[in-house]
Amino acid sequence: MTTALVYDPIFLEHITPRRHPERPERLQRAMAVLEALGWLQREGLVLLSPREASEDELALAHDRLYIRSVRAAAERAAREAAAGGRVSHFFAPETFVSGRSYEAAAKAAGAGLTAIDALFKGEIDNAYCLVRPPGHHAEYDEALGFCLFNNVAIAARYAIERYGLERVMIIDFDVHHGNGTQNIFYRDPRVLYFSTHQAPFYPGTGRSDELGEGEGLGTTINVPLPATTGFETYEPVFRQVMAPAADRFQPQLILVSAGFDAHWKDPLANMYLSTAGFAQLIMIIIELAKYLCDGRLIMIQEGGYDLQANAACVATSINLLLGDDAAVDSLGPPPEKAFRINTDVLIAELRRIHKLTGYRMRNAPRPDIARLRREVKGPEAESAASDPASSNGRRTDGSH
């Protein structure tokens, strides 16, 4: 197994104000943990430097005037910093630029393209793009929520345009809904967007009845979840909603918006996933990629604002992509919960909304009916089923 880690120190040059949660230390700590583990020299891990996405490539998901406005804002910030002024400047809600922000954002978008090129040339099996600024809130013509360019959306469109793919799936488990990603593909049947997120929460989008429009109707799947939701709900959602939806869609590539702010230690959210819980969810995705698209899987960093938790989740993701099954977890399980949501009702309603009721994955093993009878009714059920006298005259073919 060959895994690419796509990273560039330029990502540390996107400077945000002091105490801003989206800070360079997020990536510095992750790289430090990988170095401490000795994994940057690990067999099977390939370090790739991302190229800068061109304006034409950024325009796969963004308005050209908007792209140029980001570049101009960064150039103004560079001139002011050189004159002894402020380094970081407000650009959009929660979003700032500094002198090298355009270069960093263009390479963050280019990281996914670099990984896709390597993947389709057969040089790697999968990839993790350790990038900032993040991307999934960035709209077609607007920055939002720490994001300048929508890295995962640009990657999806690039895979479609450059390599002729017909179906790409984006799985977004960041704690915030990826409004930008959803809106960019809301009418596009070639991209299945699946999101789990805390609700009600920023940015206020991602209702379960947002399904797509026009030709894209049915290719948006949102799973809004209440605060303190943990693995006991995420796991069945992934297995019983995400997996069959993916099976029905049959993606040729899976992209992941890998935000780790649903971790119980994250300061910006209130969800109860642990590093080990994230590991189990990522393993589901890895197995799904193997089953559906020859393992073609690229993870792209989004949120995650507790430095220790985010670094552990990044290291865990890379370990899993390399074929191991262990989590790098020193933080342990989340606190005890005061209540649990009714997961069975949630799953049933999501499957109803997305027309998955009764859907069975194509190559799933058929159930062992005799074993199920024994488990439900006891050992006598099997012998009773084989005894004609116990059938009260009713034949198994339905006649009387």
Side-chain angles (χ1 to χ4, degrees):
M1 185 70 71
T2 302
T3 296
L5 172 60
V6 189
Y7 172 77
D8 194 298
I10 188 62
F11 300 140
L12 308 181
E13 299 298 320
H14 169 61
I15 308 300
T16 52
R18 188 181 178 191
R19 297 192 181 90
H20 193 281
E22 207 297 282
R23 48 190 169 143
E25 290 84 354
R26 297 176 58 235
L27 269 57
Q28 285 177 319
R29 179 70 67 86
M31 289 297 288
V33 167
L34 291 170
E35 182 62 54
L37 290 167
W39 287 359
L40 294 180
Q41 297 80 34
R42 183 171 168 178
E43 183 178 358
L45 187 68
V46 177
L47 302 181
L48 295 181
S49 181
R51 63 180 176 82
E52 187 173 309
S54 67
E55 182 178 305
D56 285 345
E57 290 165 339
L58 296 173
L60 292 170
H62 293 290
D63 176 71
R64 289 182 185 273
L65 291 178
Y66 167 69
I67 296 166
R68 293 165 189 169
S69 75
V70 177
R71 182 190 291 118
E75 290 170 350
R76 288 194 300 271
R79 288 194 296 270
E80 182 163 338
R86 289 177 301 156
V87 172
S88 185
H89 295 256
F90 176 86
F91 182 70
E94 302 89 31
T95 310
F96 293 79
V97 296
S98 60
R100 302 194 73 185
S101 288
Y102 181 85
E103 185 180 351
K107 282 201 170 184
L113 314 189
T114 300
I116 287 170
D117 287 339
L119 186 68
F120 282 94
K121 289 176 183 176
E123 297 170 353
I124 61 172
D125 297 300
N126 52 48
Y128 193 97
C129 300
L130 184 59
V131 304
R132 61 181 292 275
H136 72 155
H137 292 308
E139 299 276 5
Y140 172 71
D141 57 359
E142 181 182 10
L144 195 69
F146 313 162
C147 304
L148 292 172
F149 299 135
N150 198 310
N151 306 319
V152 75
I154 293 164
R157 282 268 169 81
Y158 179 79
I160 290 168
E161 299 297 330
R162 174 68 176 83
Y163 292 97
L165 300 193
E166 297 175 344
R167 295 174 306 281
V168 175
M169 183 176 188
I170 297 173
I171 300 170
D172 186 341
F173 53 65
D174 189 281
V175 81
H176 305 95
H177 179 247
N179 55 288
T181 309
Q182 173 174 299
N183 290 337
I184 288 168
F185 296 114
Y186 209 57
R187 292 177 170 270
D188 191 338
R190 301 171 297 177
V191 177
L192 174 63
Y193 177 65
F194 176 90
S195 173
T196 54
H197 46 273
Q198 183 176 326
F201 205 42
Y202 182 90
T205 53
R207 299 191 316 272
S208 58
D209 61 355
E210 295 171 7
L211 308 176
E213 291 179 350
E215 292 184 352
L217 182 63
T219 56
T220 294
I221 300 177
N222 285 311
V223 184
L225 298 167
T228 74
T229 297
F231 180 74
E232 75 286 344
T233 297
Y234 274 88
E235 192 264 352
V237 165
F238 270 50
R239 290 196 184 279
Q240 299 180 49
V241 181
M242 185 271 286
D247 183 75
R248 182 175 64 187
F249 185 70
Q250 292 287 294
Q252 297 158 301
L253 170 68
I254 295 177
L255 303 174
V256 178
S257 275
F260 298 113
D261 36 9
H263 197 286
W264 68 271
K265 283 282 288 181
D266 197 273
L268 297 194
N270 305 101
M271 297 305 246
Y272 273 24
L273 279 175
S274 65
T275 307
F278 270 115
Q280 293 298 314
L281 299 180
I282 293 166
M283 287 176 68
I284 293 172
I285 296 172
I286 290 172
E287 290 304 313
L288 196 65
K290 290 177 181 177
Y291 166 62
L292 294 175
C293 51
D294 297 323
R296 289 192 289 268
L297 173 64
I298 296 171
M299 302 180 68
I300 301 176
Q301 182 79 42
E302 298 284 0
Y305 304 101
D306 180 89
L307 299 183
Q308 184 178 2
N310 183 66
C313 288
V314 170
T316 294
S317 299
I318 291 170
N319 194 41
L320 300 175
L321 290 172
L322 283 164
D324 205 333
D325 61 357
V328 180
D329 188 10
S330 62
L331 295 170
E336 289 294 323
K337 296 175 59 172
F339 68 92
R340 293 177 182 266
I341 65 174
N342 191 326
T343 302
D344 291 341
V345 172
L346 171 69
I347 297 294
E349 182 63 7
L350 288 168
R351 288 176 67 89
R352 182 194 66 79
I353 291 171
H354 298 290
K355 298 181 172 58
L356 293 167
T357 303
Y359 185 86
R360 186 171 168 275
M361 293 179 69
R362 296 170 192 189
N363 293 329
R366 294 189 176 278
D368 184 337
I369 299 302
R371 182 180 61 80
L372 291 174
R373 281 201 187 104
R374 288 195 301 272
E375 291 177 354
V376 173
K377 296 183 179 180
E380 69 279 2
E382 186 174 19
S383 59
S386 62
D387 182 1
S390 67
S391 63
N392 295 320
R394 187 182 298 274
R395 292 176 49 169
T396 56
D397 62 4
S399 60
H400 298 278

